[in-house]
Amino acid sequence: MVVMIETIFALLMIVNHEIVEHRIQDTLSDCLKHKRIAERTNKGTSVLYKCIKSKAEIEINIDGSHTIEKLILE
């Protein structure tokens, strides 16, 4: 397991003013695309989706995938 700090685009799922899930996106346009899909899928709920560009502690998994360990909000 390797942890490093990178600037990433992340799609946040916010419920009751709390970030409950975050996913790394390759580009801002990918993030906005997935945000639109999520909003259409969950229409009528109180879930908020937001795209951000932020620094984050990223974990590189054994299979080469990346996951967010911690967002560094500035």
Side-chain angles (χ1 to χ4, degrees), residues 2-19:
V2 176
V3 176
M4 52 196 233
I5 295 179
E6 290 184 8
T7 300
I8 52 111
F9 291 104
L11 176 58
L12 308 180
M13 181 172 141
I14 302 168
V15 178
N16 295 327
H17 306 287
E18 275 187 52
I19 299 171

Side-chain angles (χ1 to χ4, degrees), residues 2-71:
V2 176
V3 176
M4 52 196 233
I5 295 179
E6 290 184 8
T7 300
I8 52 111
F9 291 104
L11 176 58
L12 308 180
M13 181 172 141
I14 302 168
V15 178
N16 295 327
H17 306 287
E18 275 187 52
I19 299 171
V20 295
E21 189 173 338
H22 39 63
R23 300 283 175 162
I24 296 174
Q25 303 295 313
D26 293 328
T27 63
L28 180 58
S29 65
D30 282 344
C31 188
L32 293 170
K33 174 184 167 188
H34 289 104
K35 177 183 177 221
R36 284 190 298 274
I37 292 168
E39 287 174 337
R40 277 189 237 130
T41 304
N42 295 310
K43 199 174 250 188
T45 64
S46 61
V47 178
L48 176 67
Y49 296 94
K50 186 172 185 173
C51 291
I52 64 166
K53 181 179 180 179
S54 176
K55 288 185 180 178
E57 286 184 14
I58 303 297
E59 179 182 340
I60 302 174
N61 302 312
I62 292 172
D63 64 357
S65 63
H66 294 78
T67 55
I68 299 171
E69 282 295 305
K70 182 170 79 171
L71 288 171

